[in-house]
Amino acid sequence: MEIKKADCEAINPELVEKIRPDMPESTILYELSDFFKVMGDNTRIRLLWALEEAEMCVNDLAVLLDMTKSAVSHQLKILRTAKLVKSSKRGKNVYYSLDDHHVKLILEKALEHAVE
């Protein structure tokens, strides 16, 4: 991936050099960007919010969110790939839950920000 170089000089070079060591690596920032792209979908946010409340199967999520099972499954696959949800099989059903407490914290903080 090509990184563009600045076409200007810093007004405050001391500040730039003070901050530079604390900047995360570009690969980490790209991963963070991808994370927010996944989180930036209304349907996926609704699924995550439901799963914050309880572990649920595809059928229950489809009914709750008035969606098709196929659409729910598709979105859950994206969330699973992004490590935001995990699944466990019980009998014929697969149940989904948030992958860890960090996902819940992110949702709660985002909601706080949105309602301010």
Side-chain angles (χ1 to χ4, degrees):
M1 179 169 310
E2 181 182 333
I3 297 177
K4 295 179 181 174
K5 300 290 183 186
D7 63 351
C8 60
E9 290 190 26
I11 301 297
N12 300 294
E14 300 84 17
L15 179 62
V16 171
E17 291 310 312
K18 178 182 174 198
I19 294 171
R20 187 182 309 274
D22 296 328
M23 291 291 293
E25 292 181 23
S26 292
T27 54
I28 293 171
L29 292 174
Y30 283 113
E31 287 178 25
L32 184 60
S33 174
D34 288 343
F35 167 81
F36 280 110
K37 287 176 189 171
V38 170
M39 294 286 282
D41 179 270
N42 180 56
T43 299
R44 290 190 286 267
I45 288 292
R46 291 172 52 214
L47 285 164
L48 289 169
W49 202 264
L51 295 173
E52 180 184 24
E53 295 296 319
E55 184 177 56
M56 298 178 76
C57 66
V58 172
N59 285 20
D60 292 343
L61 286 164
V63 171
L64 176 66
L65 301 178
D66 195 25
M67 296 173 61
T68 65
K69 289 188 333 183
S70 175
V72 169
S73 293
H74 174 74
Q75 296 301 329
L76 286 170
K77 180 179 179 187
I78 293 169
L79 292 170
R80 220 175 38 242
T81 301
K83 298 178 184 159
L84 295 174
V85 300
K86 59 185 175 185
S87 61
S88 61
K89 188 167 175 90
R90 282 192 238 130
K92 293 181 179 183
N93 291 316
V94 177
Y95 285 81
Y96 293 86
S97 60
L98 297 182
D99 191 66
D100 63 33
H101 74 282
H102 295 112
V103 179
K104 182 175 182 170
L105 291 173
I106 292 166
L107 287 171
E108 289 172 348
K109 287 297 178 188
L111 180 64
E112 274 180 40
H113 179 74
V115 297
E116 281 185 357

